[in-house]
Amino acid sequence: MAHELNVKNGKASMFYWGDVPWHGLGTALNGPATSAEAIKAAQLDWKVLKVPLCALDKTGSAKVPDYFATVPEYAWGEQGCPVFGVVGRDYKLLQNTDAFRFFDSIVGMGAAIYHTAGALRNGSRVWVLAKLPSCIRVVGDDLAEKYLLLSNGHDGHTAIRIKFTPVRVVCQNTLTRALKAGPTASIAHKPDMPRRLDKAKETLGIINAQFKTMEQDFQRMARMTLTDELLASYLAAVFPAPPPTPGESRMAESLRERALFDREQSARLAVEGKGNDVKNVRNTLWAAYNGVTEYVDHLWGKFKPKTDRARRLNSLWFGRGHQMKSRAYEQAVAMLDASRN
């Protein structure tokens, strides 16, 4: 898909507050939004319909039993109405307004803390990003702000997800951590979805505990000095490359070249990246980790032709970019743990 940011009435379905975010998308607001303001600013104040699916041949049309299409109500009946996905009888819709209402119950009803929200893939994927109070202090003035990201898909196969996405203040790197499976991380669109959402609200006290764990891990990274050899070992684990073999395919060769290029760029940013050449950060695992996240967030997609910013954002939060940053975090923690032994 050439363009992934949803456009409705000639405007992109996204807003942001504050500095232009690293993905560079959206309409600016003068201040953080309440959920009511956010849903309007991001043009998400529309409903999803679950309409019967029909089959058509030369003899006529007939309903397909127990199968439905999910479509936006505002475009239903119009030529070119987008179809988000095909779902079964038991598929439970979560309307955009209900997703915001659920997030309000977590972060505070009426609180003006929503920093960005929007829709990708013609509206089939919706997200809400809210800033939580206080910051993660890593070392000195090197801070990471705490955000919660809720995403929801109307396509029939994307679950409701909640992710921790702290952002390093000095250069707006998203410091992703992969969440373990569970009701606080992923909720399927099944008949018991409302009950599981209510249960998630009760159990989301895990949020602060998870952020505390991340803060401790970041501080440990800042205390671990890396030699050139350790840095190379870390980046090899983050960007694995298939070993060269006689008669290998061009695909294998290309994957190895790409991994080596990713390592080279991340190693450069581990030294030259924003905030990495300061006291207590220079030559540490924290600098190496941020070299990876800065590369993925700010440069990785730009090396790919025909990759627009909306597609990059989708990758950074939900796709391969997110996976690479999660692996960078996991490998850093594994290196820390190994150093204890």
Side-chain angles (χ1 to χ4, degrees), residues 5 11 24 32 57 68 90 117 136 142 167 177 185 211 267 275 280 313:
L5 188 63
K11 294 183 178 180
D57 63 16
F68 302 82
D90 294 334
I136 294 174
D142 203 346
V167 176
R177 174 180 178 175
F211 271 124
N280 297 325
L313 177 60

Side-chain angles (χ1 to χ4, degrees), residues 45-126:
D45 50 347
W46 45 267
K47 291 185 177 181
V48 182
L49 301 178
K50 194 167 113 175
V51 299
L53 199 64
C54 293
L56 178 68
D57 63 16
K58 61 183 179 181
T59 64
S61 63
K63 288 185 178 180
V64 179
D66 297 330
Y67 281 92
F68 302 82
T70 53
V71 299
E73 184 181 41
Y74 66 81
W76 177 236
E78 298 178 2
Q79 185 174 6
C81 174
V83 175
F84 295 151
V86 175
V87 301
R89 179 184 57 191
D90 294 334
Y91 181 83
K92 188 75 173 178
L93 294 171
L94 179 68
Q95 300 295 349
N96 298 337
T97 52
D98 293 331
F100 276 81
R101 190 176 299 116
F102 167 66
F103 222 26
D104 268 346
S105 68
I106 299 172
V107 300
M109 189 69 67
I113 55 176
Y114 291 90
H115 279 228
T116 184
L120 295 168
R121 296 183 176 177
N122 288 327
S124 64
R125 170 167 272 160
V126 174

Side-chain angles (χ1 to χ4, degrees), residues 47-220:
K47 291 185 177 181
V48 182
L49 301 178
K50 194 167 113 175
V51 299
L53 199 64
C54 293
L56 178 68
D57 63 16
K58 61 183 179 181
T59 64
S61 63
K63 288 185 178 180
V64 179
D66 297 330
Y67 281 92
F68 302 82
T70 53
V71 299
E73 184 181 41
Y74 66 81
W76 177 236
E78 298 178 2
Q79 185 174 6
C81 174
V83 175
F84 295 151
V86 175
V87 301
R89 179 184 57 191
D90 294 334
Y91 181 83
K92 188 75 173 178
L93 294 171
L94 179 68
Q95 300 295 349
N96 298 337
T97 52
D98 293 331
F100 276 81
R101 190 176 299 116
F102 167 66
F103 222 26
D104 268 346
S105 68
I106 299 172
V107 300
M109 189 69 67
I113 55 176
Y114 291 90
H115 279 228
T116 184
L120 295 168
R121 296 183 176 177
N122 288 327
S124 64
R125 170 167 272 160
V126 174
W127 84 87
V128 189
L129 187 70
K131 185 179 183 300
L132 300 181
S134 73
C135 292
I136 294 174
R137 185 173 294 277
V138 183
V139 57
D141 294 328
D142 203 346
L143 307 176
E145 293 180 327
K146 299 190 292 188
Y147 291 87
L148 268 184
L149 173 68
L150 180 145
S151 64
N152 178 41
H154 300 306
D155 54 9
H157 57 78
T158 302
I160 305 155
R161 293 193 178 97
I162 302 168
K163 295 180 181 179
F164 308 120
T165 57
V167 176
R168 192 185 188 202
V169 173
V170 72
C171 57
Q172 291 194 318
N173 298 349
T174 47
L175 306 173
T176 308
R177 174 180 178 175
L179 293 178
K180 295 180 180 179
T184 62
S186 181
I187 301 171
H189 288 259
K190 295 182 178 180
D192 67 344
M193 181 190 71
R195 180 187 63 79
R196 295 189 67 190
L197 282 172
D198 285 338
K199 186 65 176 177
K201 286 188 290 189
E202 297 173 9
T203 59
L204 275 173
I206 193 174
I207 293 172
N208 285 330
Q210 290 281 1
F211 271 124
K212 186 63 178 176
T213 298
M214 294 185 79
E215 182 174 43
Q216 293 169 348
D217 287 340
F218 293 164
Q219 290 169 349
R220 291 168 61 203

